[in-house]
């Protein structure tokens, strides 16, 4: 078993997951820096949700390793993983999952209350985030009295109020209209940067991915260097070399092709196509083991990944 780099809050190596007899992830490796906003792009069914579930400890991979702050998540038992998710992780689903018997502020404070936070502290944090998401008037309403968009904003407030170390957002703006989506994303990215929250964001939307510091792309459960969106006339994307894919460190190429990271406010750089902004996933030069400037983390081919995984049990 090889420990991950010290500057990665999350690190995964050669993840293999099969669901209902179908490969969902095949040798996926990546690292996420502390405070980084990482977008996981790809079409529906590419393995984005499965990857987020593995990284968050919800779904143990059949083979491979997941580390959080240099602690092996893949060797934890179910109860320890549950405490990790409760105390250190936040999660936003594509659909709001609120407790129907609770009011808006009670739902938004739920994660804090489950951690044992004082009632007054939890309520204050919940009300603050509801206001920042423009749903302060929903604080005393129950979910049945709210619109779908309002429920989703309450769910986002619940995730942010708990100030998690890592926030996993699986298509968090899927139920929102464009105006609501822009506001929620702006609040989410601004909060992450101001509070030092690491965000792993799954999306198939180029505009959403453009707000991230870096993008990795999945296709059919594998990492790819480029991802051609529907309507692109170019050939289909080719699987990424696992040595580079196992240590993607550089920022995503901006829509203008400059290779620079997004602005601190989360706005994507102008000047290029939306497809380029979503699909680019620039690996740091020399990221393969032994390359100049690389981290030396394990990579290699699928065969090498499977061999490495056998050492992690």
């Amino acid at each position: 078993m090889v420990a991950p780099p010290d500057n990665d809050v999350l690190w995964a190596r050669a993840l293999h997951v099969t669901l209902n007899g179908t490969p969902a992830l095949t040798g996926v490796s990546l690292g996420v820096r502390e405070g980084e906003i990482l977008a996981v792009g790809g079409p529906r069914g590419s393995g984005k949700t499965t990857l987020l579930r593995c990284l968050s400890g919800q779904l143990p991979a059949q083979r491979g390793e997941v580390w959080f702050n240099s602690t092996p998540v893949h060797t934890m038992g179910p109860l320890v993983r549950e405490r990790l998710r409760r105390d250190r992780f936040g999660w936003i689903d594509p659909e709001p999952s609120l407790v129907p018997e609770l009011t808006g502020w009670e739902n938004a404070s739920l994660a804090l209350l489950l951690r044992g936070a004082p009632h007054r502290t939890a309520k204050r944090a919940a009300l603050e985030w509801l206001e920042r998401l423009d749903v302060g008037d929903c604080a005393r309403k129950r979910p049945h009295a709210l619109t779908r968009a309002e429920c989703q904003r309450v769910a986002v407030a619940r995730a942010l109020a708990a100030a998690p170390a890592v926030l996993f957002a699986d298509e968090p703006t899927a139920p929102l209209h464009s105006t609501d989506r822009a506001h929620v994303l702006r609040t989410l990215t601004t909060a992450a940067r101001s509070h030092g929250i690491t965000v792993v964001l799954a999306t198939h939307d180029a505009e959403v991915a453009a707000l991230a510091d870096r993008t990795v792309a999945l296709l059919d459960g594998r990492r790819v260097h480029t991802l051609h969106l529907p309507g692109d006339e170019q050939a289909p994307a080719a699987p990424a070399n696992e040595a580079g894919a196992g240590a993607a460190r550089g920022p995503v190429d901006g829509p203008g092709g400059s290779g620079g990271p997004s602005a601190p406010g989360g706005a994507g750089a102008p000047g290029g196509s939306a497809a380029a902004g979503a699909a680019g996933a620039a690996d740091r030069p020399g990221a393969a083991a032994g390359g100049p400037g690389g981290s030396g983390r394990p990579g290699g081919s699928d065969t090498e990944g499977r061999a490495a995984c056998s050492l992690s049990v």
Side-chain angles (χ1 to χ4, degrees), residues 29-31 33 36 38-39 213-217 223-226 238-253 259 279-288 292-295 297 299:
S29 302
L30 59 81
R33 296 191 190 99
E36 181 180 30
L38 175 71
D213 299 315
R214 182 165 57 95
T215 300
V216 298
R223 281 199 53 183
V224 294
H225 283 308
T226 57
N241 177 279
E242 283 296 330
R249 312 307 319 141
V252 61
D253 287 339
D283 290 342
R284 184 175 61 188
S295 63
R297 71 184 61 186

Side-chain angles (χ1 to χ4, degrees), residues 46-309:
S46 59
K48 302 186 301 296
T49 298
T50 303
L51 178 58
L52 263 63
R53 292 183 65 201
C54 286
L55 294 175
S56 64
Q58 295 183 45
L59 176 67
Q62 278 93 24
R63 295 159 55 197
E65 301 177 10
V66 175
W67 296 73
F68 168 67
N69 280 343
S70 300
T71 301
V73 178
H74 54 283
T75 62
M76 293 179 179
L79 291 179
V80 179
R81 290 200 311 272
E82 183 178 337
R83 286 197 294 269
L84 175 66
R85 296 196 303 270
R86 181 195 66 194
D87 297 338
R88 306 303 304 278
F89 294 163
W91 184 274
I92 304 173
D93 273 315
E95 295 289 336
S97 52
L98 304 181
V99 180
E101 295 82 7
L102 301 182
T103 63
W105 79 260
E106 289 169 338
N107 269 286
S109 65
L110 189 57
L112 279 170
L113 293 173
L114 290 174
R115 291 181 188 177
H119 183 275
R120 181 175 298 179
T121 300
K123 183 175 182 178
R124 182 169 60 247
L127 292 175
E128 176 186 343
W129 282 107
L130 290 174
E131 288 291 343
R132 291 180 66 170
L133 287 158
D134 286 348
V135 283
D137 57 347
C138 300
R140 298 190 177 279
K141 298 179 182 178
R142 288 181 168 80
H144 69 84
L146 305 179
T147 66
R148 185 184 181 194
E150 288 172 336
C151 286
Q152 185 68 357
R153 291 193 185 200
V154 173
V156 173
R158 177 179 59 193
L160 290 170
V166 182
L167 175 59
F168 298 92
D170 184 14
E171 302 281 5
T173 59
L176 304 179
H177 294 298
S178 57
T179 303
D180 288 332
R181 180 177 61 189
H183 177 68
V184 169
L185 284 173
R186 186 166 58 250
T187 303
L188 180 61
T189 53
T190 301
R193 298 185 195 283
S194 63
H195 290 69
I197 301 173
T198 302
V199 178
V200 184
L201 172 70
T203 182
H204 66 280
D205 189 324
E207 294 181 4
V208 175
L211 296 176
D213 299 315
R214 182 165 57 95
T215 300
V216 298
L218 296 183
L219 184 64
D220 296 333
R222 295 177 180 269
R223 281 199 53 183
V224 294
H225 283 308
T226 57
L227 183 66
H228 301 297
L229 301 179
D232 196 332
E233 298 299 326
Q234 302 182 41
N241 177 279
E242 283 296 330
R249 312 307 319 141
V252 61
D253 287 339
S258 64
S262 300
S273 69
D283 290 342
R284 184 175 61 188
S295 63
R297 71 184 61 186
S301 64
D302 256 358
T303 302
E304 294 168 341
R306 288 192 289 269
C309 284

Side-chain angles (χ1 to χ4, degrees), residues 4-11 31-34 69-70 249 297:
D6 292 336
N7 63 340
D8 282 349
V9 65
L10 279 174
W11 186 62
V32 187
R33 296 191 190 99
E34 186 173 1
N69 280 343
S70 300
R249 312 307 319 141
R297 71 184 61 186

